[in-house]
Amino acid sequence: MKLFLVIPCYNEEEVLPETARRLKEKFASLMADGHIAEDSRIVFVDDGSRDRTWELIEELHRSDPLYRGIRLSRNRGHQNALLAGLMTVREECDAAISMDADLQDDINAIDAMLEKYAQGYDVVYGVRSSRKKDSFFKRTTAQGFYRVMKAMGVETVYNHADYRLMSRRALAGLAEFREVNLFLRGIVPLVGFRSTTVAYERGERFAGTSKYPLKKMLSFAFEGITSLSVKPIRLIASLGVLIFAVSVGMLIYSLIRHLLGHTVSGWTSLAVSIWALGGIQLLAIGTIGEYIGKIYLETKHRPVYLVSDYLTDGDRPTK
Ligand code: UDP
Ligand code: MG
């Protein structure tokens, strides 16, 4: 089984040598036990780093063919770097595992992932068993993130970052998704195939600083929602319906007030039209939005289906 490890790196000079060393050890033991083939590789994707990351990758590659490097023309962000790596290697490997350069993802979970792969799973999600080692801030923002995503109708795997194994055919399926607003964590579940999870303990970054400040996290969450869900548009339409219902109530209320003579002249028509028009406008925007949502989904050119198995004549046992 030929395994490729894909690791996006952005300004990771502080962690790269240690990461490379530990992964090499891990690979050596996996090879010795016959779990992975000798020509398995560790692929670093340099996401337009401004420090010595690429020089280090070059050095590693010279020192041992185990290491490979891919360099992006400029910084494109974690998700794009990851995709670049996976798509570059997908036809060479039986399965690829993506993980972070800072070893926060426990590399010993690889064994369990390989085991699941051997059992026939195409996608194995690494899921954090606890967030004890994350800062309070990171933990609460991350949990809020999963909640909002869920409320917005985006299917994600709870507590799963981008540490996952994907088989060759799952990667081929992923390649069919040609959208440019890419949110991998939401798309991989859409790819389908048999999937399962493996729990691991999330460690601390052993050196360097997080490349995901709050600003990037917020835009990441926003990207996730707007690239996978048209629910916000629907919310506007629902609000329109609600306000319109209020306007009917207002109509009845104002008419009663009018008939009882408790109103100044002109108030009834004004009050009713404000509510009715507001409701109608929101409904109209929501309706237009619904069509824009359709256009939006069309422009993504997502695959309508992916075939998992096809039993043909040749597969039948011959007597
Ligand atoms: N990363 C990247 N491009 C970016 C930002 C981050 O390739 O623009 C990589 C980074 O090198 C690391 C991974 O994405 O391998 C996760 O980043 P980090 O560990 O800083 O995020 P955190 O663990 O704090 O969420
Ligand atoms: Mg990290």
Side-chain angles (χ1 to χ4, degrees):
M1 188 285 200
K2 198 168 162 184
L3 176 73
F4 272 44
L5 211 57
V6 175
I7 304 168
C9 311
Y10 178 55
N11 295 344
E12 298 286 12
E13 60 179 7
E14 282 167 283
V15 299
L16 210 55
E18 178 64 15
T19 300
R21 193 185 65 73
R22 287 200 215 167
L23 286 174
K24 186 175 176 171
E25 269 174 24
K26 182 79 208 167
F27 262 51
S29 86
L30 286 170
M31 283 174 193
D33 295 342
H35 291 313
I36 59 173
E38 297 286 326
D39 50 359
S40 295
R41 294 285 178 265
I42 299 170
V43 185
F44 295 105
V45 184
D46 176 19
D47 184 18
S49 299
R50 272 184 277 270
D51 62 0
R52 290 190 60 252
T53 299
W54 180 248
E55 282 73 30
L56 291 174
I57 295 172
E58 280 181 319
E59 256 168 52
L60 285 168
H61 175 66
R62 267 197 302 274
S63 75
D64 193 328
L66 174 70
Y67 304 113
R68 285 198 188 173
I70 296 170
R71 188 187 202 179
L72 300 193
S73 61
R74 53 156 296 165
N75 181 246
R76 295 298 301 144
H78 172 234
Q79 299 281 294
N80 294 314
L82 199 55
L83 187 75
L86 292 174
M87 291 302 114
T88 307
V89 304
R90 74 182 175 87
E91 281 177 348
E92 278 186 83
C93 58
D94 294 316
I97 293 180
S98 48
M99 63 187 293
D100 290 353
D102 54 11
L103 293 188
Q104 281 189 288
D105 306 323
D106 179 12
I107 60 173
N108 293 315
I110 294 178
D111 303 62
M113 287 184 174
L114 290 174
E115 211 169 285
K116 296 285 183 194
Y117 172 80
Q119 287 166 15
Y121 288 99
D122 285 277
V123 183
V124 186
Y125 299 99
V127 170
R128 289 167 210 183
S129 51
S130 82
R131 283 184 170 269
K132 272 190 234 99
K133 286 188 183 147
D134 271 351
S135 67
F136 172 76
F137 175 73
K138 185 101 194 174
R139 195 164 56 228
T140 31
T141 48
Q143 268 156 7
F145 166 77
Y146 289 110
R147 269 197 208 111
V148 173
M149 295 295 279
K150 197 157 180 218
M152 285 294 152
V154 181
E155 191 189 330
T156 46
V157 178
Y158 190 68
N159 264 345
H160 160 70
D162 284 293
Y163 187 24
R164 81 177 84 77
L165 176 144
M166 290 180 80
S167 71
R168 190 190 173 106
R169 64 175 187 169
L171 289 170
L174 179 63
E176 298 283 318
F177 286 73
R178 307 205 177 278
E179 49 205 274
V180 284
N181 292 301
L182 195 89
F183 188 76
L184 276 177
R185 276 175 229 182
I187 296 205
V188 176
L190 291 180
V191 173
F193 296 115
R194 276 185 84 195
S195 66
T196 185
T197 56
V198 156
Y200 71 96
E201 191 85 29
R202 172 95 165 164
E204 279 167 78
R205 191 177 241 283
F206 71 85
T209 51
S210 172
K211 308 296 179 288
Y212 261 105
L214 180 63
K215 200 173 133 231
K216 261 195 199 171
M217 281 206 300
L218 284 177
S219 78
F220 185 63
F222 193 69
E223 176 77 5
I225 293 164
T226 54
S227 73
L228 282 154
S229 166
V230 289
K231 218 163 181 175
I233 295 176
R234 300 245 160 90
L235 286 180
I236 295 176
S238 322
L239 194 67
V241 174
L242 190 75
I243 302 250
F244 193 73
V246 172
S247 87
V248 174
M250 270 307 278
L251 178 73
I252 297 165
Y253 171 74
S254 321
L255 276 180
I256 293 171
R257 298 286 288 181
H258 178 75
L259 291 175
L260 292 177
H262 289 313
T263 52
V264 286
S265 67
W267 176 79
T268 312
S269 51
L270 268 181
V272 171
S273 33
I274 287 173
W275 282 95
L277 272 178
I280 289 169
Q281 277 170 351
L282 278 177
L283 256 179
I285 293 174
T287 311
I288 295 170
E290 193 62 35
Y291 285 97
I292 294 179
K294 290 269 185 311
I295 297 171
Y296 165 74
L297 290 177
E298 286 292 334
T299 54
K300 284 181 174 287
H301 293 297
R302 283 187 182 161
V304 185
Y305 60 83
L306 293 169
V307 174
S308 163
D309 299 287
Y310 177 30
L311 297 175
T312 52
D313 313 0
D315 302 321
R316 289 173 58 80
T318 43
K319 279 199 198 125

